[in-house]
Amino acid sequence: MILNNSILNVEDLVIRYVTEDGIVEAVNGVNIKIEKGKTLGLVGETGAGKTTTALSILKLIPDPPGEVVKGNITLSDIDIMKADENKMEEIRGEVVSMIFQDPMTALNPVITVGDQISEAIYIHQNVSKKEATEKAKEMLEMVGIPGNRLGEYPHQFSGGMKQRVVIAIALSCSPKLLIADEPTTALDVTIQAQVLELMRELKKKFQMSMLMITHDLGVVVEVCDDVAIMYAGRIIEQGTLEDIFRSTKHPYTEGLFNSIPSIDDRKAKLKPIRGLMSDPYDLPKGCAFCDRCDYQMEICKTMKPEKVHFSDTHFVECHLYNKNKDFKLNNGGK
Amino acid sequence: MSQKHENENIKDIMDIKKRSQWADIWHHFKKNKAAIVGMILIALFVCLALFAPLIGDYQDDALKMNIRERLQAPNADHWFGTDEFGRDIFIRIVYGTRISLFVGIISVSIALSIGGFLGSIAGYYGGKIDNAIMRVLDVILAIPAILLAITIVAALGASIMNLMIAIGIANIPGFARVVRASILSVKDQEYIEAARAIGAKDHTIILKHVLPNSMAPIIVFSTLKVATAIMATASLSFIGLGVQPPTPEWGSMLSGGRAYIRDYMYIVLYPGLAIVLSVLSLNLIGDGLRDALDPKLK
Amino acid sequence: MLIPVMLGVTFLVFFIISLTPGDAATIILGNGATEESIKELREEMGFNDPLIVQYGNYMKDLLTGNMGTSYSTGKLVSGEIGQRFPNTFKLTFSAIFIAILISIPIGVISATKQYSIFDNTGMIFALVGISMPSFWTGIMLIIAFSLKLGWFPSSGMDGLQSLILPAFTLAIASTASITRTTRSSMLEVVRQDYINTAKAKGVSKKNVIRKHALRNALIPAITVIGLEFGILLGGAVLTETVFSWPGIGRLMVESIQRKDTPMVLGCVIVFAVAFSVVNLIVDILYAYIDPRIKANYN
């Protein structure tokens, strides 16, 4: 496969956590590809393995208990699996950056925001401390915070401002890939929109690719080009934004759509997905979603579904399409 | 739904919470080998204390001097040797266990009941009451606990009773703080609000709902404090302010044996080991409980 | 905050000491004194005044540096304490210095290599360390290093040689407990999101620990160092007794035995003041390390 055009290529990634209570297969054969300048939305509920996948790209899975069992990760032509810790330190912040979910805890409380931004610049770029500080000031202004607040500490900023600082840190060395782990979940709705807008703007400016981890389909529509739906450690449906929204294939994806209020039809009743995600210590033999699925069949209980492709971009892992690719979900293709 | 029904429902929910909480704690605790070792050792100490008369007679073996047999090295008759008055050190240590455990538990009970009472009131009512109680306790805390205990015994006179009072009082602020903190952490939980909403009285809420649910940190703290109290008992007795000779107490045995350390070190070795082992076991249990309560913090 | 607490502390101590049974005038004059002269002295010393008046007078004198005269020697209490204070200061500060020097690096390394052999051994030692009574450890060290090996003197105060054993004895428990705190707060800190943020921007492992984790982990460690200092002061009473170290701790024990009330009172007050001053320093250090606290002060 020619990788020229892709920034990130994750193949057949398997990660598990070995704990006292058993083994959790957190990521179970995931494939992800992100092209230059594109944004992939990784969507799924808590515990689906989204963050674990993201951390593995930075090689930051806590070990123990985490353990990358197999798989390949290629990031901007670098083989992450083979990279040693020194190499990874060069890559982190320079080639790939990550924004964590909660801005309230993502900043070091005892270091000024200026120092936290300039640190990355100082590490990766061949500049003096003074130049790094100067650059940090520019970054701060770029995310919409007056440069003179450089010497202030995180507790002097509001949640939204903190997330801006976190973004400034992540973008300070113009990485090729930005991983954003639910960057807006912890923020107020009005602030969410501002932060998303800022991210979209900066993404364009820096011509970055982005991996947007979220459980919010609203965010996906706002910023993503492609969407991967993750469930119990697997990507169960993937496609372009258009594919996923216009011709939904997986019952779980359909469930996600039914769980959010629709603006077109305000009278429509919300239909939450029933049940809870399977016990991660003891995943079912067949399809992991089987117990919660409205279209459950006999085969679902015993056999893992294979990938079914609908186009170059769109695939689903579901037995419903084994024989008949034209099968329609009840609300499919709304 | 009738009020009675509602009450029962809340109680059910809390029972489930309690039961699963304790089962969960035990589940984590029993995996901690060190804590289990601590449990076994403490059980052993308790057995020694309970069955001391089966090992030796208090009057004849632990107290009566026997100058002919003084300062014998450990042998088949006297496992840990004999002291400067010819008394069997092992039997004295066994009877010493009674005193240490007794003083440890009673002094902690004193501190727990008074400190717990003050802490519950401070935590539950907050505001001025809280402020007043905590300021007074700050004053007590400004004196290092062991010094306060020494001062109290110095004033009241050295006896087991005064020792327990002194150690108990010195530990009041600590217990008040722990109880207050754990009450603060559960006081605004929804089931407490629910109990208040259906008109339960303050003292009912504190005793039936708040305390049972804030029990865990208090138990951990108490375990650790029994260890400290045993240490304090020995310390005060060592400087002559606790249990007086000839009563067999570990600290006063050490104090008496000090003059003979050049040639007969076992006189101070074994009573000291008894202190270390008992304190260590309680610390192990306390640590194990704490980890079990908060497994993520190991 | 310091002044009201000190007022409270002095009053509390004054009150406790005043509970001492026995008539002070009789103690001063000895048993042979006539009733007449005892009566006269009581009047003269103000023993007949209500407690609060006596306390007021004591405080008035205390502000001018006068802590009364010793019942047993007739010397000024302040003079005696002034003479002994530097020795206790030397001992406790050496001990806390040793403790900090050993415990912080071990705590940090243990946390970064959690469950390694280093960590496990370190934690076992730490646990045993907090379970050993200082007076016993002192005796054991004397047996090993002065009686058997003859490296250090077993008692008295004569140059650096004689400081080593008592300082280490006193330091052991604090070392153990600061190590445990540093380790656990370090473990807590390295789990925080901002540590991930730092790693994600390419900070090296060493710098993540040094620049990002350590300062945050030190915040709880400093609290414990402050508290440990109080325990150290209490421990000084025992260590000074074991090593015949001429400090305030030993003075206090001797004075208690002689029923020298003004001297005991003076010693406890000096200890409490020293502890409060250390706590004040801890508060200032806090503000220095944690900008959130500094903000509260401004």
Side-chain angles (χ1 to χ4, degrees), chain A residues 55-76:
Chain A
L55 285 174
S56 69
I57 299 167
L58 290 142
K59 233 181 183 171
L60 282 179
I61 302 279
D63 175 17
E67 189 184 313
V68 178
V69 180
K70 64 170 184 171
N72 281 317
I73 300 174
T74 316
L75 174 69
S76 182

Side-chain angles (χ1 to χ4, degrees), chain A residues 55 58 60 85 89 92-93 96-98 100 102 105-111 115-117 119-120 123-124 129 153 155 169, chain C residues 115 192-207 211-213 215-216 219 289-295:
Chain A
L55 285 174
L58 290 142
L60 282 179
E85 188 56 27
E89 279 165 15
R92 292 179 199 134
V96 56
S97 280
M98 183 155 173
F100 294 94
D102 188 356
T105 56
L107 293 172
N108 194 324
V110 301
I111 301 180
D115 285 349
Q116 295 191 54
I117 302 172
E119 189 176 20
I123 293 170
H124 297 295
K129 289 225 157 133
Y153 289 92
H155 71 269
I169 293 175
Chain C
Y115 302 134
Q192 299 297 314
D193 285 353
Y194 55 79
I195 295 299
N196 267 333
T197 305
K199 286 181 184 162
K201 64 185 176 189
V203 180
S204 68
K205 257 185 184 161
K206 204 173 69 190
N207 279 338
K211 285 194 185 160
H212 290 267
R215 246 180 101 180
N216 285 288
I219 296 170
I289 288 192
D290 191 340
R292 287 164 295 187
I293 293 174
K294 202 190 286 175

Side-chain angles (χ1 to χ4, degrees), chain B residues 100-160:
Chain B
S100 294
L101 291 182
F102 184 68
V103 176
I105 289 165
I106 299 292
S107 60
V108 164
S109 310
I110 293 173
L112 175 61
S113 38
I114 301 177
F117 175 72
L118 293 174
S120 320
I121 292 180
Y124 188 76
Y125 291 104
K128 277 186 191 150
I129 300 176
D130 181 21
N131 234 315
I133 292 177
M134 294 323 281
R135 289 300 79 79
V136 171
L137 294 177
D138 276 349
V139 169
I140 304 181
L141 269 178
I143 309 172
I146 188 87
L147 278 172
L148 181 60
I150 291 176
T151 314
I152 295 172
V153 176
L156 299 182
S159 73
I160 293 190

Side-chain angles (χ1 to χ4, degrees), chain A residues 25-36:
Chain A
E25 308 268 357
V27 174
N28 219 336
V30 158
N31 294 285
I32 289 177
K33 200 164 139 187
I34 303 179
E35 286 173 7
K36 236 173 224 163

